[in-house]
Amino acid sequence: MSLISVKQLTTYILLGMFGFIGYAVGQGFTNATEEAGLLYIQQEIIDAPSDLHVQAGAAVAADFDGDGWTDLFCTRLQLTDKLYRNLGPDENGVVRFADISAEAGFTEATGSNGVVAVDTDNDGDLDLYVTTIYEKEFLYYLNNGDGTFSLDDGRKGGKLTSFTDHHGFSVSAGDYNRDGWADMFTTEWQISRDATDVIQHNVLMRNFGGVREDLGGWFGNATESSGTLLTGNVENPDQPTLFGFTSTFADLDGDGWQDLLVAGDFGTSQLFWNNQDSTFTEGTEAAGFGKAQNAMGMTVGDFDGDGLQDIFISSINDHRLYRNLGNRTFAEESVERFGAENLFGWGWGTTFFDYDNDGDLDLILTTGYEDFYQTFSTTLSIAPTLLWRNDDGIFTSVGESLGINDLEPGKGLLTFDYDKDGDLDVFIVNAQKEPILYRNDLNNGNAFIRIEVGGRSFIRNGIGTKLFLTATEGGSSQMREIRAGSNYLGQNEMAAHFGLGQHTGESIHELRVVWPDGVEQIFSNLEVNSTHVLTEPLSFASWAEFAFDGSGVDANQQARSADPDGDGFINFDEYALGQNPISPDGPLSITATLVDPNRFAFQFPALAGATEARIILEACPDLTNWKEVGGDGLRETLNFSTFQKQVTRYLEGNGESVQFARLRIEALDTSE
């Protein structure tokens, strides 16, 4: 495992403090659904073969157009799906969404239910995979990169065509074999184990991009070969029906490989440990997992701050919290952490999130149900959406006091910062009714920091990346993992949001990033109340493989000191500066702008994530006394498609003290 320390450098990240939206100070959450323009009906009362549809209703939060604002895609059963573009703030500072479904290509009514947004073909934009109910095929939409989506005709293996009607629910994405391409796991409820095509239901779908890059986004059914075929109730192996509801890829044992969790109704939850060879070992019972009788929703996170990821399962008055003890074992601590009187409600979508930015993970759960349930249960009382505050590992119900008290039939649930004000908002999909957008207006003054990641040799969205943040030297650490999973029919935005409490400094002490390939980076002095974009490290060897691919340049001319295009920049310089090594480059573009009488801004090109090179900008008034420019005030912008960036560095001085600037490239030492 390589450890790349960037204690003094921030040249691998994009620092950018987004503007805050001017809402008034509030006491909790505000229902902003109508204001934001998100009024739609999830489904109409339909003529259906069963009551399966009342459990439906999904949404995903993601930036589909790359404009920096998080959009929403919402599935609707037997109605056209909805794609809402986030327009950002209007002239009054109100953030609204626009329905662009038709323009994007969503014009046909389908049996849509579960959904995941992930870059399946590593082309830099987010695709959509949608499960269905009462239909024989699933839906796979490829992002065309121009604001539209195209439905795959089945050649890419995503349809999972079957003779038996699909009962599709949640779907999650991960990279279980660490080949750099997004795989998926689909779940289905009430599927007979004896069905002739059972292998097409509750499926691990392998992405074949790792076999051949031009096959990126092509999927094959790897359920049997990987050992993830669901077996039903582990205590009753003869149970004839499978009840998959929610799946999640997460590294639960800290070995760097994503394991697989499946929450199943009627005691059918299962846990699969990753064997690091494209197979899994079923370990539910030995891990102490799977006790909830009616597991439906699921969320994974480190609620107690010990660096190990814990699991919360929503159920029917039987929610379960599994604390990770390490060594692939869990302790079920629901009553100890919540109190028996608080574990009520018919639970569906749920997620850990730090709603108050105090530095620990709180929990939210939607508990809606439909009238038909009372035909077999008369003991339930209608419960509101539940919000629990984490106080040193003990959860206290605070939803009603903070304005979260709806009694709607909630199903899918997700969190995202849709208005970029530095706290997490909540979106809930209600079956057969309108959704609810709860805007977080707590405004308690707590600081935050947000991290977005992007990669090259693995999934572009950085799925599987783990982040460990220590706000102050010697202080406690917070852990997050980037996932494209489901909270039960809901996918949170793919960003790591850290609350920092009453953090008084302008920056955090340290952020340790563990990339999916095992490479680690340490960043320091990242500005708080900001969003930072981190890019996967790129070694010279990796860059050369990419830069010279298909060029015909021989191996000797690919060496660090060679200059195959004869432009005066050796290959190592081309690597550091983001230049083309097989085409002569013109004079290096360095611009200097007088920002104000006492500050200059120097801008120059560089390669994002060049781990073995440091670019040093120096300035002086007389060509003799050169002064390095850097440190505080570094700003960077990044273009993922070309892997190039423009770096801007500021030099404090006065209008006459800086006359000349130059670049110096320094090789950094890396150790295995």
Side-chain angles (χ1 to χ4, degrees):
M1 178 179 293
S2 299
L3 178 63
I4 301 168
S5 177
V6 287
K7 287 278 190 179
Q8 304 302 320
L9 302 179
T10 47
T11 55
Y12 306 151
I13 62 173
L14 165 61
L15 300 180
M17 184 170 178
F18 293 120
F20 292 159
I21 308 305
Y23 293 118
V25 174
Q27 298 300 314
F29 289 83
T30 301
N31 187 329
T33 317
E34 183 175 1
E35 173 188 86
L38 294 172
L39 297 179
Y40 71 91
I41 299 296
Q42 183 267 332
Q43 62 177 283
E44 297 176 350
I45 303 299
I46 59 176
D47 181 18
S50 73
D51 292 312
L52 190 69
H53 56 280
V54 300
Q55 302 171 137
V60 56
D63 182 6
F64 291 102
D65 54 7
D67 66 353
W69 292 85
T70 304
D71 313 304
L72 281 171
F73 180 82
C74 309
T75 64
R76 300 204 300 165
L77 186 59
Q78 295 190 356
L79 296 169
T80 56
D81 295 332
K82 291 288 187 180
L83 178 59
Y84 288 100
R85 184 186 179 208
N86 191 327
L87 301 177
D90 62 13
E91 64 276 8
N92 298 314
V94 177
V95 176
R96 303 182 189 277
F97 292 81
D99 182 353
I100 61 169
S101 311
E103 303 95 297
F106 301 103
T107 58
E108 301 293 330
T110 67
S112 298
N113 191 19
V115 60
V116 67
V118 66
D119 188 356
T120 59
D121 49 7
N122 281 1
D123 65 350
D125 50 39
L126 291 168
D127 309 301
L128 287 164
Y129 189 80
V130 180
T131 68
T132 63
I133 61 177
Y134 308 140
E135 293 192 3
K136 299 293 195 299
E137 297 177 338
F138 287 166
L139 307 169
Y140 178 23
Y141 295 98
L142 290 164
N143 192 328
N144 298 320
D146 59 1
T148 66
F149 290 79
S150 296
L151 181 62
D152 177 57
D153 60 8
R155 286 180 295 178
K156 287 181 174 287
K159 283 189 172 184
L160 287 182
T161 302
S162 68
F163 298 107
T164 305
D165 273 353
H166 279 298
H167 295 174
F169 277 86
S170 304
V171 55
S172 60
D175 184 10
Y176 76 93
N177 53 5
R178 284 190 15 174
D179 66 352
W181 298 85
D183 312 298
M184 294 186 286
F185 191 91
T186 66
T187 58
E188 299 196 45
W189 188 81
Q190 202 175 39
I191 296 294
S192 172
R193 289 172 52 186
D194 297 327
T196 57
D197 53 5
V198 66
I199 196 64
Q200 292 293 88
H201 306 264
N202 293 294
V203 175
L204 178 63
M205 300 172 63
R206 179 187 176 185
N207 191 329
F208 280 97
V211 176
R212 214 173 65 207
E213 188 167 348
D214 62 319
L215 293 179
W218 294 73
F219 291 92
N221 190 327
T223 311
E224 284 189 302
S225 63
S226 66
T228 56
L229 185 67
L230 297 188
T231 57
N233 194 321
V234 295
E235 297 178 358
N236 179 17
D238 296 326
Q239 180 169 307
T241 308
L242 303 174
F243 292 98
F245 260 145
T246 305
S247 63
T248 296
F249 290 93
D251 182 10
L252 297 172
D253 55 6
D255 65 354
W257 294 75
Q258 289 190 307
D259 308 300
L260 176 64
L261 283 164
V262 180
D265 206 357
F266 301 106
T268 60
S269 298
Q270 291 187 248
L271 185 159
F272 298 92
W273 297 110
N274 195 321
N275 295 327
Q276 305 182 17
D277 61 359
S278 297
T279 70
F280 293 81
T281 295
E282 209 279 345
T284 311
E285 188 174 2
F289 176 70
K291 298 176 182 178
Q293 178 61 26
N294 298 105
M296 295 181 287
M298 174 169 53
T299 183
V300 175
D302 179 16
F303 82 89
D304 55 359
D306 64 356
L308 301 171
Q309 299 196 85
D310 312 295
I311 307 166
F312 179 80
I313 297 290
S314 66
S315 186
I316 303 175
N317 295 336
D318 183 33
H319 315 308
R320 299 294 181 118
L321 179 68
Y322 298 94
R323 185 167 66 88
N324 194 332
L325 303 178
N327 198 29
R328 293 188 170 184
T329 59
F330 294 83
E332 201 283 302
E333 298 183 354
S334 309
V335 173
E336 297 91 326
R337 300 289 178 170
F338 291 86
E341 69 280 4
N342 290 316
L343 295 170
F344 63 94
W346 195 298
W348 299 99
T350 183
T351 191
F352 286 117
F353 75 128
D354 187 359
Y355 81 88
D356 52 4
N357 281 344
D358 68 347
D360 54 28
L361 289 175
D362 311 298
L363 186 67
I364 191 167
L365 167 69
T366 184
T367 62
Y369 68 97
E370 294 287 354
D371 291 341
F372 97 97
Y373 291 130
Q374 297 200 25
T375 63
F376 60 83
S377 177
T378 58
T379 60
L380 293 172
S381 59
I382 297 177
T385 294
L386 298 171
L387 174 65
W388 290 288
R389 185 183 65 232
N390 185 345
D391 299 309
D392 295 324
I394 302 299
F395 290 88
T396 303
S397 182
V398 296
E400 187 173 2
S401 65
L402 294 177
I404 293 184
N405 53 12
D406 66 279
L407 298 174
E408 301 298 330
K411 297 300 181 293
L413 176 148
L414 59 84
T415 59
F416 64 143
D417 185 8
Y418 84 95
D419 52 4
K420 287 190 182 180
D421 65 349
D423 51 34
L424 290 172
D425 313 295
V426 178
F427 185 75
I428 301 173
V429 180
N430 294 310
Q432 301 181 345
K433 292 191 176 183
E434 294 177 341
I436 296 177
L437 173 65
Y438 281 116
R439 188 182 67 229
N440 190 334
D441 289 335
L442 194 63
N443 295 319
N444 58 8
N446 284 345
F448 74 95
I449 193 168
R450 285 169 56 82
I451 307 295
E452 298 174 4
V453 298
R456 298 191 192 85
S457 67
F458 65 94
I459 303 170
R460 291 294 178 86
N461 309 114
I463 295 172
T465 303
K466 290 181 291 186
L467 305 100
F468 301 83
L469 183 142
T470 305
T472 58
E473 188 173 4
S476 59
S477 179
Q478 300 183 55
M479 183 267 188
R480 302 285 189 273
E481 182 178 14
I482 303 297
R483 285 192 293 272
S486 176
N487 313 321
Y488 182 85
L489 298 177
Q491 180 182 327
N492 300 337
E493 61 181 352
M494 283 183 284
H497 183 104
F498 295 91
L500 302 176
Q502 295 294 311
H503 185 75
T504 57
E506 295 182 355
S507 61
I508 57 100
H509 169 63
E510 182 178 283
L511 176 70
R512 181 167 64 95
V513 180
V514 183
W515 298 96
D517 59 3
V519 172
E520 296 188 16
Q521 283 182 287
I522 295 177
F523 298 87
S524 61
N525 301 320
L526 300 184
E527 184 181 3
V528 304
N529 296 330
S530 302
T531 295
H532 304 264
V533 179
L534 310 184
T535 308
E536 179 200 8
L538 193 67
S539 67
F540 175 83
S542 297
W543 169 85
E545 182 180 359
F546 168 81
F548 291 105
D549 182 38
S551 67
V553 175
D554 65 43
N556 291 331
Q557 287 297 299
Q558 296 182 28
R560 287 183 173 221
S561 58
D563 182 12
D565 57 9
D567 63 358
F569 294 107
I570 63 172
N571 286 332
F572 191 80
D573 295 340
E574 305 264 19
Y575 159 65
L577 299 171
Q579 304 297 295
N580 188 340
I582 58 175
S583 177
D585 301 302
L588 187 64
S589 174
I590 307 176
T591 61
T593 305
L594 185 64
V595 178
D596 57 49
N598 295 307
R599 190 165 58 138
F600 284 85
F602 294 95
Q603 191 172 72
F604 55 93
L607 182 67
T611 61
E612 298 173 21
R614 180 188 181 197
I615 298 178
I616 302 169
L617 179 65
E618 298 176 322
C620 76
D622 55 9
L623 290 177
T624 302
N625 299 305
W626 293 95
K627 179 180 179 181
E628 181 177 330
V629 181
D632 294 340
L634 176 63
R635 311 274 175 86
E636 301 176 5
T637 56
L638 180 64
N639 183 325
F640 280 122
S641 63
T642 62
F643 311 150
Q644 307 252 347
K645 66 182 177 183
Q646 284 292 121
V647 176
T648 302
R649 284 181 176 165
Y650 294 91
L651 177 64
E652 302 292 340
N654 58 62
E656 298 180 353
S657 63
V658 178
Q659 301 294 325
F660 305 97
R662 71 181 183 186
L663 291 183
R664 179 164 58 88
I665 298 173
E666 179 181 278
L668 293 175
D669 291 329
T670 60
S671 58
E672 293 297 321

